[in-house]
Structures are given as C-alpha cells and as structure tokens.
Amino acid sequence: TMAYMTLLFSEAVHDKKIRESPAIRISRRRVEAAPSSPLTVGAVQAIVDAMHPWFGSMAIFVAATGLRQSEVAGLTVDRVDLERGSVLVDRQWVGGVEDGGWAAPKTPSSIRRIKIGPRTIRLLRPLVEGRLGGAFVWEHPNGGVQNGQRQSVEWARVRKRMPDLEMGRGWHQLRHHHASQLIAAGASPVAVASRLGHKDVSLTLRVYAHLWESDDDKLALLSDGLLTANHHETTTNPADPND
C-alpha cells in the first residue's frame, strides 16, 4: 500500500497537480527478516492441486522462479521470451484490480531477467502465444489482474481446505520454497540473491543462512596433512638445529 500511495503521489507531481510528493517525508519502518522454514516439494504440490487452475499454474511458476506476488501479478506477455527461455522483471502491480497500477520494482536490484527451464516454458506457452504483448499472463476469470488480494484470498481458501498442512502466511512461502531448492542444489548466496532480486546478499543470508550446510568439516580438511613433521623430531625431544 505504501508503494501504491507513492505511485499516486508521483503521478500527481508529474501531472503538476501538486508541487511535491508528501511520501518523500515518510520513512518506512525497517522490518527484520525472519529465518525461513520453506515448504517441501510435496507440500507445494498439494497446494497447487487444491488451487483453481488459473491460480495453480501461477503457483507453479512462482515456485520455479521465486517472483514476488506483485511481480507475478504484473507479468505481461511482452516480458516473456520463450525462445531465449527468460522472463524480464522490471515492474510490479500494486493495489486493487480497478484502482491499482504499475510501480517500479521493490529495489533497483529487483530489475532482473530470470532464466526458466523447459517445463516452465511449456507451462507458459499456451498462456502467452497468440496474445497481445500488454496482456497479463495470468488474468482472473472474472476479469482483470490476479493481484495480491486475489492471490491471498485463494491462499486462504486452500489453507482452510487443508488445515493439517502448515502452509504459512501466503504466497511468499512459494518464494521461500524456490530459494530453498536453489540452496539445496548448491547455489551460492550471491546467485540466490541475484535471482530473487534482493538488494544485497546480506538480506539473503539473514533469511536463508540456516539452509546452507556448514562447511566446518570441509574447511578442516582443506589444509590438513599438506605438510608433515620431520620424523626425527618430537615435541619432547626437538631436533638439534645443528644436526
């Protein structure tokens, strides 16, 4: 909502309705990132299976790319390159279906081109081929963008249907799931931060450091045994330096 208000005030300044945006004087309260407990592949599959089809394919895409709710909501056909197997993230949709609008990504680092695999390409192909470039990749059957509010309503519906499944607070759990899969496959913190569009790698580590395996054992072996002691020398009877 803060991003939406900032967008509205910026447009008002641009249209010369007001001289200066009051949003520039508002400082956002910093929220510390909490360690993530990601969903398993089985849990995500159960969630997808319980969703309406027009949300299920979106959930699969988020689990495969790690896009934020607002980023996937605002993804349009012209941002998808099936030939190169990539998706451009350079804006997000903030606000409601009728009164929402485009906004810049969360941070400059959030502007990124994400590579997608062959199965994700097959998922997107029927959603983008033959459609106008400005159309949303995912549109709600009732019309308009599948914005964050609509996504959250669907998440709550599925969570009510499956009370025994710890689904977490919302679609962001699919982003955490994606990050956990990257880390399990051996991706570095820098690579994960880049794909998720984090401002810097310190945020990635605050949220996901506990998912990387400890390197203590590997570090201990790196230089172990590279050098050997003189077999004549002992700690109690050191060798005569003149010998």
Side-chain angles (χ1 to χ4, degrees):
T1 5
M2 179 60 191
Y4 180 50
M5 293 301 297
T6 301
L7 174 67
L8 289 179
F9 285 127
S10 297
E11 290 295 323
V13 172
H14 182 269
D15 294 339
K16 300 187 178 354
K17 301 292 185 184
I18 57 177
R19 180 176 299 177
E20 181 182 279
S21 169
I24 63 175
R25 300 190 185 91
I26 301 174
S27 60
R28 298 187 184 184
R29 183 170 59 90
R30 179 170 178 167
V31 179
E32 290 296 329
S36 163
S37 297
L39 295 167
T40 65
V41 173
V44 173
Q45 186 64 64
I47 293 169
V48 168
D49 292 343
M51 283 182 165
H52 293 304
W54 53 91
F55 281 110
S57 60
M58 177 186 271
I60 293 172
F61 179 78
V62 174
T65 60
L67 264 65
R68 299 178 176 93
Q69 275 186 270
S70 55
E71 293 172 344
V72 71
L75 185 64
T76 50
V77 172
D78 55 2
R79 264 60 176 180
V80 178
D81 190 334
L82 296 180
E83 297 305 315
R84 295 183 180 180
S86 67
V87 172
L88 175 63
V89 181
D90 63 344
R91 58 184 179 176
Q92 60 179 336
W93 183 271
V94 294
V97 177
E98 301 295 337
D99 58 351
W102 302 110
K106 189 173 182 181
T107 70
S109 301
S110 297
I111 301 176
R112 60 204 190 277
R113 184 175 290 277
I114 297 178
K115 293 291 292 183
I116 55 177
R119 294 189 179 182
T120 305
I121 292 174
R122 287 200 297 270
L123 174 77
L124 290 176
R125 191 174 297 281
L127 297 172
V128 302
E129 284 191 334
R131 300 183 64 206
L132 296 176
F136 292 110
V137 174
W138 283 277
E139 293 183 346
H140 197 275
N142 295 334
V145 60
Q146 291 193 172
N147 67 330
Q149 182 180 6
R150 281 175 161 174
Q151 293 175 38
S152 297
V153 169
E154 176 68 0
W155 191 270
R157 185 189 69 81
V158 173
R159 185 168 54 191
K160 187 175 181 179
R161 287 189 58 188
M162 299 189 298
D164 295 334
L165 179 61
E166 293 293 334
M167 289 178 54
R169 292 178 294 176
W171 281 70
H172 210 72
Q173 297 303 315
L174 299 176
R175 181 169 159 87
H176 290 325
H177 165 80
H178 178 68
S180 73
Q181 297 303 304
L182 300 181
I183 294 168
S188 70
V190 172
V192 174
S194 176
R195 188 163 173 89
L196 295 180
H198 281 167
K199 181 179 180 181
D200 54 57
V201 75
S202 63
L203 173 59
T204 310
L205 290 172
R206 283 204 305 274
V207 180
Y208 301 114
H210 63 292
L211 298 180
W212 270 282
E213 292 184 4
S214 172
D215 286 331
D216 285 349
D217 292 338
K218 294 179 183 177
L219 294 175
L221 295 174
L222 282 177
S223 57
D224 183 57
L226 295 180
L227 302 176
T228 58
N230 189 312
H231 68 281
H232 296 298
E233 182 180 349
T234 67
T235 55
T236 57
N237 185 26
D240 187 341
N242 300 316
D243 188 3

